[in-house]
Amino acid sequence: MHNPMDLGGRAFLVTGASSGIGRETAVLLSRLGARLALAGRNAARLEATRAALEGTGHELAPLDLSCGDEIPAWLKTIAARMGPLDGLAHAAGIQNLLPLKMVASRDIESVLQINVGAAVMLAKGFRQKGVHSERSSIVLLSSIMGLAGASCRSLYSASKGAIVALTKSLALELAGEKIRVNNVAPAYVQTPMFDAVMNQMGPESFEKLVAAHPLGIGRPLDVAYAIAYLLGDTGAWVTGTTLVVDGGYTAR
């Protein structure tokens, strides 16, 4: 029976694979037949993700993505071991709840470096000869905060809005190299990052947040399905777009 999302024989890099959306994406891709390179800062947690994967040939590729200039060479080493990559899912990122009056220059630098700078350097490294396959795909992770905005989220919203714009420019620049570039923009999803935000909110604010999602708070798997769609042949005619996966949040 034909499965249009079959990824058998393909290899992908997933960043942020130690937890949350990144881990769920890696598990789903393995179930669809792919081999994975798992990236993150914590090797022990990456090993736990690898233990949850189906199939064989998966590798750990730990790296602190704040070391931006090291990323292209790091990608070269991954491709040397695994062969040219068919895609990249960049799920790593940081989120903060920070009122404008408390923002300092170091906060701007740290959020933009991880959420935007790493995405740029990953794309730069991925386009290198021998790193990507003949037809491949990059999927970045944006957020509905980059589309709708929210109080006390100015830095995070700015970084995710930048991903939306970056996606369009990279899609045009890399189309000639047969590399598609898209991003997924989720609303609030049940991840450790969400738990940290929830702990900063009062009960009333949290109830309002949940009510803003007509279909309820999302699961990491909901986002992973969208990423898999864009990585596979199912997204072969899609580039430069933002796929909103938000349980109806932006329909209000």
Side-chain angles (χ1 to χ4, degrees), residues 19 113 121 147 174 223 226 245:
S19 66
Q113 174 57 40
M121 298 307 291
L147 303 172
L174 299 180
V223 184
V245 184

Side-chain angles (χ1 to χ4, degrees), residues 134-187:
E134 184 177 348
R135 292 182 181 273
S136 51
S137 174
I138 295 173
V139 180
L140 306 175
L141 202 64
S142 181
S143 165
I144 47 93
M145 292 297 108
L147 303 172
S151 178
C152 300
R153 297 250 195 264
S154 56
L155 288 184
Y156 183 72
S157 295
S159 71
K160 293 306 184 178
I163 292 296
V164 172
L166 177 65
T167 294
K168 294 179 182 295
S169 293
L170 289 178
L172 294 174
E173 184 169 349
L174 299 180
E177 300 176 47
K178 307 300 183 185
I179 300 173
R180 296 182 294 108
V181 186
N182 296 285
N183 75 82
V184 175

Side-chain angles (χ1 to χ4, degrees), residues 76-159:
K76 278 275 194 183
T77 64
I78 294 172
R81 295 194 306 268
M82 298 190 69
L85 299 171
D86 297 285
L88 157 67
H90 179 36
I94 58 175
Q95 182 175 172
N96 60 4
L97 184 64
L98 194 63
L100 182 60
K101 64 183 179 181
M102 297 178 61
V103 172
S105 295
R106 63 180 180 276
D107 301 313
I108 300 171
E109 183 178 349
S110 63
V111 171
L112 294 183
Q113 174 57 40
I114 293 298
N115 290 357
V116 183
V120 173
M121 298 307 291
L122 283 164
K124 178 181 178 179
F126 188 80
R127 69 168 295 275
Q128 297 174 104
K129 184 177 180 179
V131 171
H132 64 91
S133 62
E134 184 177 348
R135 292 182 181 273
S136 51
S137 174
I138 295 173
V139 180
L140 306 175
L141 202 64
S142 181
S143 165
I144 47 93
M145 292 297 108
L147 303 172
S151 178
C152 300
R153 297 250 195 264
S154 56
L155 288 184
Y156 183 72
S157 295
S159 71

